Amino acid sequence: MAAPVDQSQQNFAAAPPAAAAPPQEKPAPAAAAGPANGPINDADIEDWKKRFNEVLAKPSEHVNSKSPATAQSWTNSLFGCFSPIDLCCMTWCLPCVTFGKTHHRVRKNGSMEGWEPINTSCLMFCASSCFALHWIPMSMQRADIRARYNLQGSCLVDIATACCCGLCDLVQAEKESEQREALLRSNGPAAEQYRPAEGMAYGPTA
């Protein structure tokens, strides 16, 4: 006579295997957070506001300013704006991009690290152009270039150049700043002659 089978063992043997848990989906990676203000940089806005306020505080002093007697000639001609052709075409089609590029090199980073084609200065140039006031930031930027690299010129010449030869002015400023920054980074003897030894000279005010 066969031995009786334990009922609990029968139930265990008859129980179907537990279904495997479905694989959990991995959460999608979070998108990289972009800049809060897009191309608008608060530091650039404050810098431009400060510069405009300085000019408005002493307008006659800035208008009569000129480079010191020890200033050097510009390496690039104002009317050499057709070369290189890519810079010429870019400036003709999108002058704001060239303006913003030069601004970044002269005032932020000579190696162009962190530069974006659409930036605060580019947009500010576009906005001022809508009211035919683009010559104001252009002449201010040209004055920056003269002061940084000890180049010849005056505020009145800067204004006249920006008003009468705007595209040529932008190309010349971009080429000059690119060349001068390359020389400054080289740390060679030739680079030292481009460092300004004196500040801007101001004419008598009324």
Side-chain angles (χ1 to χ4, degrees):
M1 182 176 179
V5 180
D6 188 1
Q7 188 67 26
S8 61
Q9 292 181 356
Q10 288 183 345
N11 294 339
F12 177 79
Q24 296 182 352
E25 296 183 359
K26 295 182 179 180
N37 297 330
I40 304 298
N41 184 284
D42 293 337
D44 282 346
I45 294 177
E46 292 301 320
D47 181 52
W48 277 109
K49 287 169 59 178
K50 178 182 177 182
R51 294 165 67 189
F52 282 127
N53 288 332
E54 289 175 351
V55 173
L56 294 175
K58 299 179 179 180
S60 59
E61 184 175 301
H62 285 274
V63 169
N64 293 319
S65 66
K66 59 182 180 180
S67 299
T70 56
Q72 305 171 51
S73 301
W74 292 65
T75 303
N76 296 274
S77 170
L78 178 65
F79 299 108
C81 52
F82 292 101
S83 175
I85 190 62
D86 55 341
L87 176 60
C88 175
C89 293
M90 172 61 71
T91 306
W92 178 265
C93 298
L94 296 170
C96 58
V97 174
T98 301
F99 178 85
K101 185 177 183 180
T102 304
H103 175 270
H104 187 94
R105 179 183 290 110
V106 174
R107 294 190 67 89
K108 301 185 72 174
N109 189 287
S111 301
M112 298 304 292
E113 296 177 1
W115 173 71
E116 294 291 341
I118 306 301
N119 52 45
T120 305
S121 298
C122 172
L123 297 177
M124 187 270 295
F125 183 90
C126 288
S128 62
S129 298
C130 294
F131 302 95
L133 297 175
H134 56 282
W135 57 272
I136 297 177
M138 285 179 62
S139 58
M140 293 172 66
Q141 180 151 282
R142 191 174 180 88
D144 279 346
I145 293 173
R146 289 192 294 106
R148 178 168 175 79
Y149 309 121
N150 193 28
L151 301 176
Q152 295 175 350
S154 66
C155 181
L156 292 177
V157 172
D158 296 340
I159 295 174
T161 304
C163 290
C164 301
C165 307
L167 297 179
C168 295
D169 183 4
L170 291 173
V171 173
Q172 183 190 31
E174 171 62 15
K175 291 164 61 176
E176 193 76 24
S177 63
E178 183 178 15
Q179 180 177 344
R180 301 285 179 167
E181 286 297 329
L183 288 171
L184 291 176
R185 291 196 306 272
S186 68
N187 294 324
E192 294 300 324
Q193 63 178 317
Y194 299 116
R195 297 185 184 275
E198 304 177 25
M200 297 293 292
Y202 294 93
T205 58

